[in-house]
Amino acid sequence: MATIPVVVKHSGKRHNIDLDPESPAEVFKYQLYSVTGVEPARQKILIKGGQLKDDTDISAMGIKPGHTFMMMGTPSDGAADVIAQPKEKTRFVEDMTDAEVARAGGAIPAGLTNLGNTCYLNSTLQALRSVPELQEELAKYKPSSDAGPASSAASSSSLASLSALGLGGLGGSIGGSMDITAALRDLYKQMSETQDGFPPHTFLNALRAAFPQFAQKAKSHNGYAQQDAEEAWSQIISQLRQKLKIKATPVDGESSTQTSSEISFIDKYLAGKFETVLECDEPQAKELGEEPIEENVTFLKLDCHISASINHLRDGILAGLEEKIEKKSPTLDRDALYTKKSRISRLPKYLTVHFVRFFWKKEAQKKAKIMRKVSFQHELDVVEFCTEELKTLLAPVRDKVREIRKEEEDDERARKRQKRIRKLEQEVKDEEARLGKPQTDKKGAGRKEPKTSGASSSNPGDVEMPDIVYKTDAEVEAERAAAILTLKKELASLIDSKLAADDGANNSGLYELRGVITHQGASADSGHYTAYVKKEGHMDPKTGKRREEDGNWWWFNDDRVSEVPGDKIETLSGGGESHSALILLYRAISLPTPDEVKE
């Protein structure tokens, strides 16, 4: 990125500096060191909201040419002529390996090569890769073996060798079938070490070996047939649910059928629970004493049913939570119509939503696509879909989150308004200075002066007005920060202790959109799939925290990867044969951590 010419005011002097917004703030400080003699550790550079720190992301500050910085600080005795040795040796891109470049902040992620109608798989794999907890647990995954110690040791050695070559998924074939989980682990590792399109041969072979329907040939007998991305997603999730186990917490043990020592990764992070009630619609069944059937059921996705009356995601989800079923009534001894109502009793951290766009068309003998436009939002509120018990726990947290957001938005508007006022005052001062007029004290111009002891003050009706003391910007900022901190503490106190202990659950009922799988075309057996994944902020190596996101998305079109603005997601609601959302992946919004609510 090109440098930006900025001005730095220090000790009555103006210094013209070419600022590189992509470089660390520490580099900018060394530039100032070279012209002012003030060591970086002794510099105090004022920016909106505080001071410029070494880990400040300059590119996110929106600095424009001509921007003026204020710097304070003096050089230490005898140190102005000494330039400190950089703590870390500067490394240039030319000196990095492909893997290091791929892992660098801002690097374009790897795409996946289309191996012949495999766009359905490529888009699914890219969307799943957006779950950082999944990548972390996959890296630890080691296939289990039921064989004896000697056989197990030999098998482990073979698996290690295969994994080193990126073929760990083949290790399962020693026991008769390929291990999809190991293949996924190796694939994601290989993708993290390149920016080029990567061919997922091993994983595709493992998937086709486990689920032969994905090896179906095209009707033209020319290569493999196109498949449904939702089917691929469901089958991969089912395999991960069986194979990928993690250490369980006491809360996990209460809500899982697993042993107390471990739980399925999917059950913890991507699976929710329904409370369902199945009841016969016919009054005669109720008169004969037929009781409703109540069950607790695990779900891996919410279905958004689409009909002529569905225009929004919320309506489609509500329609999917109540369905009609025809089954035999034990009291009537014949088939009868039942209503099944479901309400969510546990929300996972990651929520999958499936637009039910494909259906079997008898006359055409193929899956047809519902083209109807169904809008969806970047933030999803699911509190209304929950049981009454869960609603009472989530609603106060959700409402407090919105209150904090409103307070922060009001503060930001106040800052911008104050900035405009200060700019206007400075322009007036500059104009008065240019015309040679005495400068007006803007701070005192807006306050009433106390009455003097002259004739005008002898009027018995006059009241002496006290001087108005104005708060400094720092004091105002401190009050705002304290008010928001108080609200965050109130929010922390509202979170149910049991929900807070379940780090794989949603504690607010609010989700943010992180991934979208789209389909282009009129049939599930044809067309093209792509994936959109929201960009994460760069990871700061010093603090271990991610910087603020820029709102853009990665568009994965097989091996072609491009960056698109967030507005692009608004165009994926459907309404024709163009790209329309098929699967949405939501993540629970972040809530303040214990460290953030400390004094």
Side-chain angles (χ1 to χ4, degrees):
M1 181 180 288
T3 59
I4 302 173
V6 298
V7 176
V8 179
K9 291 184 178 180
H10 176 251
S11 298
K13 297 181 181 179
R14 295 167 60 92
H15 303 281
N16 296 313
I17 303 291
D18 289 330
L19 172 64
D20 183 358
E22 293 299 320
S23 295
E26 190 176 16
V27 173
F28 181 44
K29 288 187 175 184
Y30 273 102
Q31 286 181 276
L32 297 181
Y33 180 22
S34 67
V35 296
T36 65
V38 181
E39 301 92 321
R42 297 173 63 85
Q43 294 176 11
K44 186 180 291 185
I45 304 171
L46 303 181
I47 60 174
K48 184 179 74 173
Q51 298 180 29
L52 184 73
K53 298 181 180 179
D54 290 348
D55 59 355
T56 300
D57 186 2
I58 297 178
S59 63
M61 294 171 59
I63 296 173
K64 296 181 180 178
H67 182 87
T68 300
F69 289 94
M70 294 294 295
M71 172 181 154
M72 294 183 288
T74 57
S76 60
D77 294 338
D81 299 328
V82 181
I83 298 180
Q85 180 82 12
K87 294 180 180 179
E88 295 182 5
K89 184 180 178 181
T90 302
R91 297 198 67 198
F92 297 96
V93 174
E94 293 80 2
D95 301 326
M96 295 182 180
T97 64
D98 290 343
E100 289 173 332
V101 172
R103 295 192 183 104
I108 297 175
L112 289 168
T113 307
N114 193 318
L115 302 178
N117 279 337
T118 59
C119 56
Y120 72 93
L121 178 61
N122 292 347
S123 57
T124 298
L125 293 172
Q126 294 287 12
L128 272 176
R129 191 170 178 237
S130 68
V131 179
E133 294 89 345
L134 175 60
Q135 294 200 57
E136 182 180 340
E137 293 301 329
L138 280 173
K140 306 174 188 175
Y141 173 72
K142 294 180 181 179
S144 60
S145 174
D146 297 329
S151 175
S152 178
S155 176
S156 297
S157 176
S158 300
L159 289 173
S161 301
L162 289 169
S163 184
L165 298 172
L167 303 173
L170 294 175
S173 62
I174 297 173
S177 63
M178 300 174 75
D179 190 336
I180 288 180
T181 304
L184 186 62
R185 173 200 63 199
D186 296 337
L187 174 62
Y188 283 167
K189 181 177 183 297
Q190 291 163 323
M191 291 173 67
S192 70
E193 296 173 349
T194 182
Q195 288 183 286
D196 299 326
F198 188 84
H201 287 291
T202 303
F203 185 85
L204 179 61
N205 290 336
L207 182 70
R208 286 173 173 168
F211 306 103
Q213 68 264 36
F214 295 109
Q216 179 184 359
K217 296 288 186 178
K219 293 181 179 179
S220 63
H221 304 291
N222 184 20
Y224 291 95
Q226 178 67 282
Q227 300 291 336
D228 185 349
E230 189 276 327
E231 290 183 11
W233 176 283
S234 296
Q235 297 293 11
I236 293 171
I237 290 293
S238 70
Q239 283 292 297
L240 291 174
R241 190 181 184 202
Q242 294 176 34
K243 294 283 189 177
L244 190 59
K245 304 295 175 63
I246 59 178
K247 187 177 180 180
T249 64
V251 174
D252 297 328
E254 292 177 14
S255 60
S256 172
T257 57
Q258 306 291 335
T259 65
S260 59
S261 61
E262 63 179 14
I263 184 176
S264 164
F265 172 87
I266 298 299
D267 283 346
K268 184 176 180 68
Y269 288 103
L270 281 93
K273 286 192 176 294
F274 279 141
E275 286 185 4
T276 66
V277 178
L278 183 64
E279 189 173 13
C280 185
D281 291 352
E282 297 191 24
Q284 186 180 357
K286 298 177 183 178
E287 292 171 1
L288 293 174
E290 184 171 329
E291 295 291 333
I293 301 173
E294 299 181 0
E295 288 184 303
N296 290 317
V297 181
T298 298
F299 70 88
L300 300 176
K301 58 183 172 62
L302 291 182
D303 285 331
C304 174
H305 289 266
I306 303 175
S307 65
S309 61
I310 301 298
N311 298 308
H312 193 271
L313 176 63
R314 170 191 174 274
D315 304 324
I317 292 176
L318 280 175
L321 294 176
E322 184 170 327
E323 56 183 322
K324 297 293 183 179
I325 298 174
E326 187 175 355
K327 63 182 288 289
K328 186 174 182 179
S329 167
T331 54
L332 300 177
D333 196 28
R334 59 177 173 78
D335 287 346
L337 199 62
Y338 285 74
T339 298
K340 182 180 180 181
K341 296 181 180 180
S342 302
R343 285 294 178 266
I344 300 172
S345 58
R346 180 191 184 265
L347 286 170
K349 182 173 183 178
Y350 291 89
L351 179 67
T352 304
V353 179
H354 170 224
F355 286 96
V356 187
R357 290 194 174 275
F358 299 131
F359 67 99
W360 183 252
K361 201 169 185 178
K362 291 183 179 179
E363 54 271 25
Q365 286 296 296
K366 68 175 184 179
K367 278 186 177 180
K369 182 179 178 181
I370 301 173
M371 307 275 192
R372 186 176 183 82
K373 180 178 180 180
V374 180
S375 63
F376 57 92
Q377 60 271 62
H378 285 264
E379 183 172 274
L380 180 64
D381 180 357
V382 298
V383 173
E384 66 174 311
F385 309 139
C386 299
T387 61
E388 292 301 322
E389 180 183 358
L390 188 55
K391 279 182 185 178
T392 59
L393 299 177
L394 298 177
V397 179
R398 175 201 61 188
D399 296 342
K400 184 61 68 173
V401 166
R402 290 173 173 170
E403 183 182 348
I404 292 173
R405 287 177 178 174
K406 184 178 183 303
E407 188 73 19
E408 290 175 333
E409 290 169 0
D410 290 345
D411 283 353
E412 184 62 26
R413 281 194 292 268
R415 288 191 190 95
K416 291 180 179 178
R417 184 167 58 250
Q418 189 64 25
K419 184 178 179 181
R420 289 195 299 269
I421 292 172
R422 283 198 296 266
K423 183 179 179 182
L424 181 60
E425 289 177 350
Q426 186 61 45
E427 290 174 353
V428 172
K429 284 184 178 181
D430 292 344
E431 182 64 16
E432 289 177 346
R434 188 181 68 81
L435 297 174
K437 295 181 180 180
Q439 294 192 11
T440 304
D441 181 6
K442 295 297 176 184
K443 209 169 189 180
R447 65 173 183 250
K448 295 182 181 292
E449 297 295 334
K451 298 293 183 179
T452 63
S453 57
S456 61
S457 64
S458 61
N459 190 329
D462 288 344
V463 179
E464 185 174 334
M465 300 297 292
D467 231 353
I468 300 175
V469 179
Y470 288 88
K471 295 176 181 177
T472 65
D473 288 347
E475 289 173 332
V476 172
E477 285 292 330
E479 287 184 359
R480 289 171 177 165
I484 292 177
L485 178 60
T486 300
L487 290 174
K488 288 184 176 180
K489 287 182 178 180
E490 293 174 2
L491 171 61
S493 67
L494 290 172
I495 301 174
D496 179 74
S497 59
K498 188 174 179 181
L499 283 180
D502 185 359
D503 59 351
N506 183 325
N507 300 331
S508 68
L510 296 175
Y511 285 95
E512 58 174 334
L513 187 62
R514 303 304 302 184
V516 184
I517 297 177
T518 67
H519 178 264
Q520 179 185 36
S523 169
D525 301 328
S526 61
H528 184 58
Y529 291 93
T530 67
Y532 292 81
V533 172
K534 193 168 187 180
K535 283 182 61 183
E536 288 197 301
H538 298 168
M539 180 70 76
D540 190 316
K542 294 183 178 179
T543 63
K545 296 180 180 179
R546 290 196 177 275
R547 296 174 180 173
E548 188 176 352
E549 296 178 347
D550 60 12
N552 289 344
W553 290 63
W554 293 118
W555 181 26
F556 295 95
N557 186 3
D558 288 330
D559 56 354
R560 299 183 298 279
V561 183
S562 55
E563 187 174 344
V564 298
D567 295 344
K568 176 65 177 178
I569 306 302
E570 312 294 338
T571 67
L572 306 177
S573 299
E577 293 190 21
S578 60
H579 285 284
S580 55
L582 180 70
I583 293 176
L584 305 177
L585 181 61
Y586 283 95
R587 183 176 70 190
I589 65 164
S590 299
L591 296 177
T593 63
D595 290 338
E596 292 175 349
V597 297
K598 288 181 180 178
E599 292 289 355

